[in-house]
Amino acid sequence: MRFISALAAVSLTTLGLTAPAYAHPGAEQVSGSTASGYGGAIATVDATATAAGLEVLRRGGNAVDAAVAAAATLGVTEPFASGIGGGGFFVYYDARKQRVYTIDGRETGPATMTPTYFVNPATGLPYVFDEARVSGLSVGVPGTLATWESAAKQWGTRPLGSALSTAAEVADRGYTVDGEFRRQVTENAAAFGQFDASKALYLPGGAPPAIGTTIKNPDLAATYRQIARQGTGAFYRGAIGRDLLRTVAQPAVSSSPTSPWAYPIRPGVLTARDLAAYQVRHPAPTRSDFKGLSVYGMSTPSSGGTAVGEALNILEASPLDSATTVDKLHYYLEASALSFADRGRYVGAYTAPSVLKDLISDRWAKGRACAIDPKKALAKPVAPGPGCTPATAAAAPDNGMSTTNLTVADKWGNVVEYTLTLEQFGGNGMVVPGRGFMLNNELTDFNFTGTQGTAPDPNLPGPGKRPRSSMSPTIVLKDGKPFLATGAPGGSTIITTVLQILVNRLELGMTLPQAVAAPRAAQRNTAGIQAEPAFHTTYGPELTARGHVFAADAPEIGAATAIEFTRHGGQLAVAEPVRRGSGSAAVVHPAS
Ligand code: GLU
């Protein structure tokens, strides 16, 4: 997202990235969105994070070491979409064991959480989204730090402290505000403006920072260093955690907010016991087979693995072989809608494994594929399965467009696909005073009230429950070896973005850079498709003629990252060329 700043470059000089910042082999590529070569590859949304991960790979670290280093750096330079106040999902292919593992670092709700947690007791009505978001209520126990620790301990070769210390340097020396960063602050100015600690960092002089200015975060540097010295107990059971809990219980509302806020800022109920009890989970990855490839994804509490897997299975059960591009897009949109209907009805943190298995079975997909008419779009929303009942059901509400994603591979063939988030850009709007990191609002990913009519809703709040996610870090194997890895940000469009990249690459004959760059459209079982303008212009007329309906265009959907494993050990790293101000891809040894 941001080009490396002069100050960050100075910081990275200490790592061997001498000024000018791209002087060593491979590092010159951190400013590009595509890099091909071998010896290790990385793609993130941010050049500083990519450079940090690349440096670890260059020095013999593995993909997990590099992913943790890049993520810790993103916590500094992408503070509104990631960081130790949030959570995420980490998918790892271990080359030696030839197996895919996952870490569920999703935030958890308080032990006292009930299904009516987001219903205002005074009115009996659910809170308005922003009222729930900018509050202590929306904050789940963060899982990001525990994810890094778990990954580093199980599969890494370097202590977590080394990634934190390096990222602390970036926080101390600062990074440069670009247009995208300023846009994210501007979008959040009213929320940030309610809290002195958020204002002090991100609204200098009461307004969003000017492009080109430097943001330093010495509080975050000190927090990272304290954790590096004392371990993650300082966060989950110590002084940092106490400060977090205080901010949740007594939001430090400014006596001089920069603008009015329409809602009361409510306290939350997280306890020290909730924080201390936090543990990452290691669910088995989801697996679906698509045309001879094995597609591994994230299981519950994310719906990403089952939703992407089910849609791919529906596509595999559809007559695509001699189909045109528009036919294939028609099937892509229909498969996505059907899969979203099933996600809404069946998938939540506690969905039984047998139900998940059913959802990504070929048998289920065959039953759903029969609903698709090759020439006419189904009326949306469609009903959940099994089978292809044409009745409609209520659409699930949408969520935000934030989050960040990174993809890393090393020279041994290990691969990491990692998506992390605070939920909305800027989470709940609160920087923990004196600690420099922002809190998540992940609990607003629960449905505030039932969405499934008389059927039970699998994503209502509950004690210690994790909200359903759409994050879809995905690793595709061919003959048991990595073929492609990808993931994306974007709320529930994460699922459609990952699916569309796979369809572009595997069905539409695009190269990986083309598949990532191509204009996107998301059909999430809503009345209208949300599309980027270029998709709408190019395919809108023919798809509309088949009965598809387009909602208002989205300026952009999902800044993805990906790596493809090419012949003879080659690696092709791809980040967004344009979206979110463009990302940054690099390889250790660029192909000449
Ligand atoms: N909270 C969302 C999820 O877990 C991701 C946030 C976003 O990308 O807007 O699915």
Side-chain angles (χ1 to χ4, degrees):
M1 171 178 115
R2 267 167 300 288
F3 291 104
I4 203 162
S5 75
L7 287 165
V10 172
S11 154
L12 290 165
T13 303
T14 58
L15 298 170
L17 282 180
T18 47
Y22 314 120
H24 66 79
E28 71 277 1
Q29 299 227 9
V30 299
S31 61
S33 62
T34 298
S36 107
Y38 60 98
I42 177 165
T44 82
V45 294
D46 176 73
T48 310
T50 293
L54 182 69
E55 186 57 21
V56 170
L57 292 172
R58 284 185 60 238
R59 292 181 173 227
N62 68 18
V64 170
D65 300 322
V68 172
T73 305
L74 286 173
V76 179
T77 59
E78 279 254 313
F80 310 133
S82 65
I84 60 174
F89 296 97
F90 193 103
V91 178
Y92 171 58
Y93 172 78
D94 187 305
R96 206 164 46 80
K97 299 202 172 123
Q98 301 199 10
R99 272 190 67 178
V100 179
Y101 299 89
T102 76
I103 304 176
D104 158 15
R106 187 66 159 169
E107 297 88 337
T108 55
T112 53
M113 188 176 224
T114 66
T116 55
Y117 185 81
F118 284 116
V119 175
N120 185 339
T123 61
L125 297 172
Y127 295 120
V128 173
F129 181 80
D130 267 344
E131 180 175 12
R133 175 200 166 193
V134 181
S135 79
L137 286 174
S138 64
V139 183
V141 177
T144 289
L145 198 52
T147 300
W148 299 348
E149 180 173 53
S150 171
K153 274 199 175 145
Q154 286 183 88
W155 309 307
T157 65
R158 296 168 181 226
L160 171 58
S162 74
L164 292 171
S165 306
T166 305
E169 284 185 44
V170 178
D172 264 340
R173 293 177 188 276
Y175 52 91
T176 307
V177 172
D178 68 2
E180 175 61 23
F181 190 93
R182 186 178 151 82
R183 188 190 67 74
Q184 290 177 19
V185 178
T186 305
E187 235 176 40
N188 274 296
F192 292 178
Q194 307 307 310
F195 308 103
D196 288 334
S198 309
K199 275 197 302 187
L201 256 181
Y202 300 125
L203 294 169
I211 293 170
T213 53
T214 299
I215 299 231
K216 297 183 184 188
N217 192 342
D219 287 348
L220 182 59
T223 302
Y224 271 10
R225 289 195 178 104
Q226 185 175 346
I227 298 167
R229 276 195 318 274
Q230 299 175 351
T232 58
F235 185 91
Y236 288 103
R237 292 176 298 280
I240 301 168
R242 281 194 290 279
D243 289 348
L244 181 159
L245 291 169
R246 190 176 314 113
T247 309
V248 169
Q250 300 154 30
V253 181
S254 175
S255 53
S256 53
T258 51
S259 59
W261 186 248
Y263 310 103
I265 296 175
R266 296 169 190 279
V269 292
L270 272 188
T271 64
R273 188 175 288 198
D274 292 324
L275 199 58
Y278 187 84
Q279 288 196 327
V280 295
R281 298 171 61 250
H282 300 281
T286 59
R287 176 184 160 173
S288 52
D289 294 329
F290 183 72
K291 305 204 163 172
L293 303 169
S294 305
V295 181
Y296 288 88
M298 196 64 223
S299 190
T300 52
S302 184
S303 58
T306 48
V308 170
E310 180 187 340
L312 286 173
N313 288 343
I314 294 173
L315 289 171
E316 199 176 26
S318 301
L320 296 190
D321 282 350
S322 55
T324 64
T325 296
V326 172
D327 288 336
K328 289 179 178 178
L329 291 172
H330 167 72
Y331 276 98
Y332 153 68
L333 295 166
E334 298 293 78
S336 177
L338 291 163
S339 172
F340 264 84
D342 296 337
R343 165 188 181 269
R345 172 61 62 87
Y346 299 112
V347 185
Y350 300 145
T351 305
S354 58
V355 174
L356 297 175
K357 211 170 146 204
D358 230 17
L359 284 176
I360 47 171
S361 68
D362 288 337
R363 190 183 51 79
W364 183 280
K366 281 204 185 89
R368 298 298 271 153
C370 65
I372 303 177
D373 180 329
K375 296 287 168 219
K376 187 159 175 20
L378 294 159
K380 310 291 184 316
V382 297
C388 34
T389 333
T392 56
D398 276 347
N399 51 10
M401 303 289 282
S402 47
T403 302
T404 194
N405 187 79
L406 58 96
T407 314
V408 191
D410 62 31
K411 63 182 172 189
W412 298 281
N414 302 302
V415 184
V416 172
E417 190 61 50
Y418 183 28
T419 315
L420 58 166
T421 190
L422 299 180
E423 203 322 79
Q424 293 285 294
F425 276 127
N428 81 339
M430 301 177 198
V431 169
V432 176
R435 298 299 185 176
F437 65 91
M438 301 205 79
L439 292 175
N440 69 82
N441 67 300
E442 213 70 55
L443 300 186
T444 60
D445 270 358
F446 283 115
N447 292 334
F448 291 8
T449 54
T451 60
Q452 299 299 308
T454 52
D457 187 315
N459 189 36
L460 286 176
K465 192 174 174 184
R466 299 181 181 199
R468 180 177 64 209
S469 171
S470 302
M471 290 187 262
S472 310
T474 302
I475 296 180
V476 181
L477 304 186
K478 186 179 191 176
D479 303 325
K481 298 266 162 43
F483 167 66
L484 190 155
T486 191
S492 54
T493 65
I494 292 172
I495 291 167
T496 58
T497 294
V498 168
L499 179 62
Q500 195 175 359
I501 288 171
L502 295 176
V503 168
N504 287 344
R505 177 70 190 90
L506 303 174
E507 276 294 340
L508 294 176
M510 295 185 196
T511 63
L512 188 63
Q514 290 167 340
V516 169
R520 302 204 220 289
Q523 173 43 278
R524 293 169 287 169
N525 200 24
T526 50
I529 295 164
Q530 198 176 34
E532 293 179 334
F535 184 97
H536 198 168
T537 313
T538 312
Y539 304 110
E542 280 181 86
L543 289 168
T544 306
R546 290 188 194 202
H548 288 282
V549 176
F550 282 78
D553 287 349
E556 63 178 53
I557 298 177
T561 64
I563 293 178
E564 184 165 327
F565 301 87
T566 54
R567 283 198 288 178
H568 310 303
Q571 294 164 335
L572 173 62
V574 180
E576 285 294 339
V578 175
R579 294 180 185 93
R580 203 139 134 193
S582 81
S584 164
V587 291
V588 172
H589 300 297
S592 46

